[in-house]
Amino acid sequence: MSSGNAGLRELGTFLKARRAELDPPQVGLPDTGRQRRVTGLRREEVAQLAAISIDYYTRVEQGRMQASVPVLEAIVRALRLTDDQRTYLFELAGRPPAEAPARPGRAVTPHTRRLLDQLTESPAVVLSDTMDVLAWNRLAAALIVDFARVPEENRNYVWLLFNDPGLRALYDDWETGAHACVSYLRMHTARRPDDPRLLRLLERMAHHAEFQGWWQTREVAVQGTGTKVFHHPVAGTLLLDWDTLTSSTAPQQHVVIWTAQSGSPSEKGLRRLAAAAAATDQAADTSPHTSSVHVPS
């Protein structure tokens, strides 16, 4: 089965999930008061809102045809999709035509390594599209987890969020953070649904009921920026802003940086954590010429 057919099938499942979230009054349709056999909108109601035939919409939802760009835009409006959901829909539909993205490289450039090394008061990691942790600085290891001690197969942010009790306890609102990461991961499936690393991760996460529940909702999002509260045994409670930087030369790699407001208790907490991490390195007789940035082999 080609990835194109898989994309159309997933597009249909995605549309079903989105129309199930809407009630007729939400989209300006009358509520007849009669009990409905399906949750949310019916196919014919979506077709009516999009001004297309029921047969056309049914074939699109069943993955039996590729919709045109105008039809996709009409469906976006009918289902009140967000910008991220619209992007996901178009990726699945293969519109507009574009070359398939190159397979993601896992080698982090020396420039990126240097950037991480020079961020001595801000935790930072490099994540792949599938949220594999490709590189990190000393402070990220001190804040989140000592990635160097994590087997490479488990060195994935989603995997760690669901399987590492320490990381789960670190988050003030673990549920929101974990749910968001699942949405980021789902966004990747539209671009490369047959990615072997993604498929392997999904296979390994099959026993997690929370992950599976969120995965099946097909909510999507793009990594960007936000705020997180952490409770750390050394640094205390930290209110940190996070930003995602993506290089144009390595678009499948994303540098995530956590920063604290200048002069805030959180900034002081990060400094305490940095000092503790430096002391630990010195106690372990770390060579002064060894970079504090770790990159998997």
Side-chain angles (χ1 to χ4, degrees), residues 35-79:
Q35 186 175 2
R36 301 170 69 86
R37 290 183 298 175
V38 296
T39 301
L41 298 178
R42 303 186 182 95
R43 283 177 179 166
E44 54 264 32
E45 290 171 332
V46 177
Q48 175 186 342
L49 291 167
I52 57 178
S53 72
I54 298 175
D55 179 64
Y56 192 120
Y57 178 78
T58 299
R59 284 185 289 161
V60 171
E61 191 175 278
Q62 291 178 343
R64 293 189 288 122
M65 70 174 298
Q66 185 181 44
S68 66
V69 171
V71 167
L72 289 174
E73 292 288 11
I75 293 173
V76 166
R77 292 190 296 271
L79 294 177

Side-chain angles (χ1 to χ4, degrees), residues 156-165 167-168 174-175 177-179 181-182 205 207-212 214:
N156 176 281
Y157 207 86
V158 171
W159 172 262
L160 291 169
L161 268 177
F162 283 86
N163 291 278
D164 188 311
L167 185 52
R168 182 184 282 251
W174 175 87
E175 184 172 333
H179 195 171
C181 284
V182 174
M205 294 297 294
H207 66 288
H208 281 281
E210 290 167 305
F211 176 89
Q212 289 299 322
W214 291 329

Side-chain angles (χ1 to χ4, degrees), residues 10 13-14 17-18 21 88 92 129-131 158 162 178-190 192-195 197-203 205-206 208-221:
E10 171 60 21
T13 307
F14 178 69
R18 297 288 73 81
E21 296 175 337
Y88 185 66
L92 291 174
D129 276 344
T130 53
M131 304 199 75
V158 171
F162 283 86
H179 195 171
C181 284
V182 174
S183 299
Y184 304 148
L185 192 64
R186 169 62 79 174
M187 195 73 178
H188 173 67
T189 65
R192 206 173 291 109
D194 57 349
D195 187 320
R197 298 190 71 87
L198 172 66
L199 296 178
R200 173 59 179 154
L201 175 62
L202 295 179
E203 178 184 338
M205 294 297 294
H208 281 281
E210 290 167 305
F211 176 89
Q212 289 299 322
W214 291 329
W215 186 256
Q216 294 305 324
T217 65
R218 287 171 164 76
E219 294 181 26
V220 292

Side-chain angles (χ1 to χ4, degrees), residues 1 20 48 121-122 153 166 172 182-183 191 204 221 241 269-270:
M1 182 67 66
Q48 175 186 342
E121 295 187 357
S122 294
E153 186 180 28
D172 180 75
V182 174
S183 299
R191 301 185 183 98
R204 299 182 70 209
D241 298 318
L270 285 180

Side-chain angles (χ1 to χ4, degrees), residues 221-243:
V222 176
Q223 284 192 105
T225 185
T227 301
K228 288 283 186 294
V229 176
F230 298 116
H231 299 294
H232 193 276
V234 174
T237 297
L238 302 172
L239 176 64
L240 303 179
D241 298 318
W242 61 273
D243 291 275

